[in-house]
Amino acid sequence: MTDVVLPCLDEAAALPWVLARIPAGWRAVVVDNGSTDGSGDLARELGATVVHEPRRGFGAACAAGLRAATAELVCFCDCDGSLDPGLLPLLTDRIAADTADLVLGRRRPTARGAWPLHARAGNAALGLMLYRRTGVRLRDLGPMRAARRAALLDLAVADRRSGYPLETVVRAADAGWRIAELPVPYAPRTGKSKVTGTWRGTWQAVHDMSGVLRGAPAGAGAGR
């Protein structure tokens, strides 16, 4: 079995589609990060394991989901309908075949507006900074990823805001992990983005991730 960690903040509109796309035999672990739209109750009704993480932040939700996971393989995926969990076996197959230790989904927009220009620019800048810091060249630092649970816990990722995905890659690179990426379609999300939908959200994410590269992960405060 594989566990799929789904950080969730007011995603009731997208949850039915997302949970229906979880591969058969896998477990969905929805981390309710303070939703006010009944997302947690809905996810439970739809058969997901629900974890409540009161500390607001994408990294806080990811960390709580990882702690709650029990499967050997763990995947992470956004819960807003922009990414298809049904494609996660493409990532885990690389782990199972022992050709990679961490596999990321490289987002490929399927429609205008799915990935705003300011978000792409921020992602590209961070990718360049990552290369300079670690020598690892990635086209995307997106949220869809897969790795072994025990190894992820050993990384001891500290960021609890938007820097969590990047810190995972940095620590994995420093540990000598084989890091790969595979293209995955990226659709317009359901509802308003907490990060890439606004310049402010993108700036906050870039700020948090830049702090990770400087060795100072953002461990406190709200924000996604």
Side-chain angles (χ1 to χ4, degrees), residues 137-149:
R137 190 181 296 278
L138 295 174
R139 300 290 296 275
D140 187 16
L141 295 167
M144 178 181 274
R145 49 192 60 202
R148 297 188 185 277
R149 173 180 174 273

Side-chain angles (χ1 to χ4, degrees), residues 67-94:
R67 290 194 302 270
T70 58
E72 179 184 2
L73 294 178
V74 175
C75 298
F76 294 83
C77 186
D78 274 354
C79 200
D80 58 13
S82 61
L83 293 164
D84 183 356
L87 299 176
L88 285 170
L90 297 176
L91 280 62
T92 57
D93 284 350
R94 293 288 301 274

Side-chain angles (χ1 to χ4, degrees), residues 88-103 148 178-182:
L88 285 170
L90 297 176
L91 280 62
T92 57
D93 284 350
R94 293 288 301 274
I95 307 294
D98 196 29
T99 60
D101 302 304
L102 173 64
V103 184
R148 297 188 185 277
R178 297 163 297 173
I179 303 173
E181 58 182 352
L182 297 173

Side-chain angles (χ1 to χ4, degrees), residues 78-182:
D78 274 354
C79 200
D80 58 13
S82 61
L83 293 164
D84 183 356
L87 299 176
L88 285 170
L90 297 176
L91 280 62
T92 57
D93 284 350
R94 293 288 301 274
I95 307 294
D98 196 29
T99 60
D101 302 304
L102 173 64
V103 184
L104 289 75
R106 177 189 169 194
R107 292 170 290 183
R108 305 299 295 270
T110 61
R112 180 184 293 272
W115 198 0
L117 179 60
H118 56 271
R120 292 196 205 191
N123 186 74
L126 289 167
L128 180 59
M129 294 168 67
L130 173 71
Y131 175 69
R132 290 173 174 169
R133 162 67 174 76
T134 67
V136 172
R137 190 181 296 278
L138 295 174
R139 300 290 296 275
D140 187 16
L141 295 167
M144 178 181 274
R145 49 192 60 202
R148 297 188 185 277
R149 173 180 174 273
L152 284 171
L153 288 170
D154 286 345
L155 291 181
V157 177
D159 194 282
R160 291 297 180 264
R161 295 198 310 204
S162 301
Y164 186 95
L166 178 59
E167 187 184 348
T168 300
V169 174
V170 171
R171 288 183 179 251
D174 288 348
W177 287 25
R178 297 163 297 173
I179 303 173
E181 58 182 352
L182 297 173

